[in-house]
């Protein structure tokens, strides 16, 4: 599942002691395992081998350049959501013909740049967006290939903030409007509508919601075929859940076995957009204990990382396992693990049984490789933390800790205040 293991009482990432990295780069920091990333990508590629799908890593989950390069080197394409992501992934030499672009709010600048770049597919999320792409393509004298992101209106049992596939959410186009677009496709002569896209949510641990959505879309593709609308691509999105605590998510193989028959029947080229499945368990967040506080009612383990570094517990009440980097026999206490930020929402765990660790002990917050660093902020004027990658017995800083100068870059006092 991942390459963070205890050997002789110490946490290692592959063949490197996590504590050794902390000595070198300070705390807090994010740490990624090269091998885990490759292993998870390969698991998906292998499970779906018979269809030879294009696996586009959802880089919103982790856009560290070393992570992107690792995955590109092993055949991944990319699912992007902004011009920033596109420009970033191009710096590692990603193949534009393996890039798909979904976002409900693509701007003209983003559309132009993506057309110039020659990406594989725009995953279009509304009629006005389709009109806009058609207008810009005409202006640029280009024919642009798009897939329609269909909202299949299926429930997915996950956190409300990360479910996307019902009509109560802003994503995708409902089936009725999709039919209408295709009936009137001559209205958009500068786009080639060449595929359908779905993405029903994230951290989904059972196959049923995927099967429901894929069945629905497969029937829809059949209906369209009957009407003479041939397409080339079906993009089935991401959303595969991982283990944070005691979840029993489907493996890539179980997932593939469940949906392959439906996918095969469509006869279309399959695109997939896994994010968390590839990088979630491939990363940890390492933080240092500052204080142990006991107010008579509760105990608090106060650490140097905060909600600005890893916001998932605060935002989604997400559970992340927390382990001391050096195994300890210290007596267990029930404590909240909290950061230094000025909010009660600044926590990594509530009422967690934790060993009574001491000042300067290191804690690893596990499964932090997806939606960790990418969602971090400078709240409380805290610099974003460094990111490190390990490959076998080597480790290297892949992103430096932000300095105070980074934090005030671009700010100035207006003339009228001087
Ligand atoms: N494709 C599309 C169109 C998406 O919107 C997403 C995620 C993915 C693929 C990748 O989903 P994954 O395989 O990673 O589940 N910040 C939240 C998750 C937000 C997901 C956003 N979209 C979290 O920390 O749980």
């Amino acid at each position: 599942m991942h390459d963070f293991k205890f050997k002789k009482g110490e946490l290692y990432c592959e063949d490197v002691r996590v504590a050794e990295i902390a000595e070198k780069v300070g705390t807090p920091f994010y740490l990624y395992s090269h091998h885990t990333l490759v292993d998870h990508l390969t698991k998906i590629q292998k499970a779906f081998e018979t269809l030879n799908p294009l696996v586009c890593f959802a880089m919103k989950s982790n856009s560290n350049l070393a992570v992107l390069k690792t995955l590109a080197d092993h055949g991944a394409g990319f699912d992007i959501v902004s011009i920033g992501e596109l420009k970033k992934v191009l710096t590692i030499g990603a193949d534009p013909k393996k890039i798909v672009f979904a976002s409900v709010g693509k701007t003209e600048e983003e559309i132009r740049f993506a057309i110039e770049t020659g990406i594989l597919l725009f995953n279009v999320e509304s009629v006005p967006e389709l009109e806009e792409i058609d207008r810009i393509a005409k202006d640029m004298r280009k024919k642009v290939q798009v897939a329609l992101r269909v909202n299949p209106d299926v429930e997915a049992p996950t956190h409300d903030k990360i479910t996307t596939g019902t009509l109560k959410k802003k994503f995708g186009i409902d089936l009725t409007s999709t039919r209408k677009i295709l009936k009137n496709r001559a209205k958009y002569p500068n786009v080639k509508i060449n595929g359908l896209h779905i993405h029903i949510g994230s951290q989904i641990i059972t196959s049923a919601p995927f099967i429901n959505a894929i069945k629905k879309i497969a029937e829809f593709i059949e209906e369209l075929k009957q009407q003479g609308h041939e397409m080339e691509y079906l993009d089935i999105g991401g959303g595969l859940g991982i283990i944070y605590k005691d979840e029993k998510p489907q493996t890539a193989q179980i997932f593939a076995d469940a949906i392959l028959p439906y996918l095969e029947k469509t006869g279309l080229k399959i695109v997939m957009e896994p994010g968390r499945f590839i990088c979630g368990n491939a990363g940890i967040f390492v933080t240092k204990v500052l204080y142990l506080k006991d107010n008579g009612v509760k105990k608090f383990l106060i650490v140097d990382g905060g909600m600005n570094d890893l916001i998932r517990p605060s935002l989604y009440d997400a559970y992340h396992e927390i382990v001391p980097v050096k195994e300890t026999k210290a007596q267990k206490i029930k404590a909240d693990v909290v950061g230094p930020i000025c909010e009660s929402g600044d926590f990594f765990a509530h009422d967690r049984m934790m060993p009574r660790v001491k000042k300067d002990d290191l804690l690893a917050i596990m499964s932090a490789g997806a939606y960790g660093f990418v969602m971090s902020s400078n709240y409380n004027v805290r610099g974003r933390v460094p990111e490190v990658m390990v490959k076998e017995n080597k480790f290297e800083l892949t992103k430096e800790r932000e300095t105070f100068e980074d934090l005030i870059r671009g700010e100035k006092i207006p003339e009228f205040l001087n």
Side-chain angles (χ1 to χ4, degrees):
M1 187 182 105
H2 61 69
D3 293 85
F4 298 93
K5 302 246 157 59
F6 279 92
K7 295 181 215 172
K8 293 191 191 139
E10 273 218 61
L11 186 63
Y12 277 70
C13 176
E14 301 190 23
D15 300 325
V16 182
R17 276 170 50 239
V18 172
E20 183 189 339
I21 301 172
E23 277 154 31
K24 186 89 184 271
V25 306
T27 57
F29 64 96
Y30 276 96
L31 178 60
Y32 309 124
S33 155
H34 178 272
H35 180 261
T36 310
L37 289 165
V38 175
D39 183 45
H40 289 172
L41 171 63
T42 313
K43 279 196 170 119
I44 296 214
Q45 288 165 332
K46 282 236 168 85
F48 286 87
E49 206 162 30
T50 53
L51 283 177
N52 190 24
L54 173 59
V55 180
C56 290
F57 174 61
M59 66 177 282
K60 70 202 73 168
S61 60
N62 188 320
S63 60
N64 178 275
L65 288 178
V67 171
L68 301 180
K69 169 128 175 54
T70 299
L71 298 173
D73 286 350
H74 288 81
F78 296 92
D79 160 40
I80 60 156
V81 77
S82 71
I83 189 170
E85 286 194 350
L86 179 51
K87 287 186 173 172
K88 198 166 177 187
V89 80
L90 290 175
T91 68
I92 57 111
D95 178 357
K97 282 287 159 245
K98 289 184 173 178
I99 294 177
V100 295
F101 184 4
S103 153
V104 291
K106 302 177 188 81
T107 64
E108 170 154 3
E109 183 198 8
E110 290 181 314
I111 295 169
R112 277 187 188 275
F113 186 73
I115 294 177
E116 260 165 38
T117 304
I119 64 166
L120 179 68
L121 284 172
F122 283 86
N123 288 331
V124 172
E125 308 230 19
S126 66
V127 175
E129 182 196 327
L130 185 62
E131 288 165 354
E132 182 74 344
I133 295 177
D134 185 63
R135 176 185 73 75
I136 297 170
K138 179 172 181 208
D139 191 46
M140 294 174 72
R141 293 169 212 267
K142 289 264 167 67
K143 181 121 181 174
V144 173
Q145 181 155 266
V146 308
L148 300 176
R149 174 168 180 179
V150 172
N151 184 321
D153 201 20
V154 297
E155 296 282 349
T158 185
H159 193 285
D160 184 58
K161 284 191 184 135
I162 52 174
T163 147
T164 51
T166 76
L167 293 175
K168 288 189 210 113
K169 304 290 177 186
K170 66 180 175 178
F171 299 98
I173 309 173
D174 60 277
L175 288 179
T176 312
S177 305
T178 309
R179 287 189 185 95
K180 230 191 248 164
I181 293 173
L182 287 163
K183 214 168 120 207
N184 299 326
R185 64 199 293 174
K187 270 175 69 182
Y188 315 103
N190 308 292
V191 299
K192 180 173 183 196
I193 302 175
N194 201 17
L196 295 181
H197 170 230
I198 48 171
H199 171 75
I200 56 173
S202 200
Q203 184 55 13
I204 300 168
I205 53 177
T206 55
S207 315
F210 291 109
I211 296 180
N212 288 343
I214 286 166
K215 261 192 190 162
K216 213 162 168 179
I217 204 79
E219 280 163 22
F220 189 54
I221 289 166
E222 203 43 50
E223 174 194 322
L224 298 178
K225 265 193 205 152
Q226 306 290 329
Q227 294 163 7
H229 297 298
E230 293 288 341
M231 306 211 176
E232 210 178 322
Y233 296 97
L234 171 59
D235 180 340
I236 61 168
L240 272 176
I242 62 164
I243 302 174
Y244 284 100
K245 188 181 183 185
D246 49 11
E247 298 89 343
K248 299 209 164 39
Q250 55 202 327
T251 60
Q253 196 56 54
I254 292 174
F255 179 55
D257 291 346
I259 64 170
L260 270 172
Y262 302 101
L263 298 180
E264 273 161 4
K265 237 171 99 191
T266 66
L268 301 186
K269 168 100 184 141
I270 302 300
V271 180
M272 317 178 60
E273 305 171 340
R276 189 189 319 259
F277 182 86
I278 291 176
C279 63
N281 286 322
I284 62 173
F285 177 67
V286 181
T287 184
K288 189 174 75 179
V289 176
L290 297 177
Y291 305 104
L292 172 59
K293 169 168 165 172
D294 186 341
N295 67 11
V297 174
K298 246 176 161 346
K299 295 184 178 56
F300 299 92
L301 272 175
I302 303 170
V303 298
D304 63 355
M307 67 188 281
N308 71 302
D309 301 313
L310 174 63
I311 203 173
R312 300 195 70 257
S314 250
L315 200 55
Y316 314 113
D317 274 319
Y319 181 98
H320 285 262
E321 198 187 333
I322 305 178
V323 296
V325 163
K326 282 200 175 112
E327 272 174 347
T328 157
K329 296 209 163 57
Q331 161 217 3
K332 293 259 165 111
I333 53 168
K334 192 195 262 184
D336 280 15
V337 182
V338 301
I341 302 263
C342 58
E343 297 213 21
S344 295
D346 178 28
F347 70 94
F348 295 119
H350 279 144
D351 294 328
R352 186 78 60 89
M353 289 311 290
M354 292 287 303
R356 183 186 276 275
V357 283
K358 303 179 305 299
K359 181 171 166 49
D360 293 335
D361 283 353
L362 298 172
L363 297 178
I365 304 192
M366 307 302 288
S367 313
Y371 308 106
F373 181 87
V374 286
M375 292 180 80
S376 64
S377 76
N378 294 127
Y379 190 35
N380 283 199
V381 193
R382 286 164 55 87
R384 274 172 300 179
V385 305
E387 294 173 285
V388 179
M389 180 179 273
V390 166
K391 184 171 184 239
E392 297 162 2
N393 60 1
K394 295 184 282 291
F395 73 92
E396 213 173 296
L397 197 65
T398 71
K399 187 169 196 305
E400 288 174 9
R401 189 181 302 283
E402 282 179 342
T403 61
F404 177 66
E405 285 66 37
D406 293 329
L407 288 169
I408 57 167
R409 179 172 310 127
E411 281 198 52
K412 66 178 182 64
I413 307 287
E415 278 299 314
F416 55 73
L417 291 184
N418 283 325

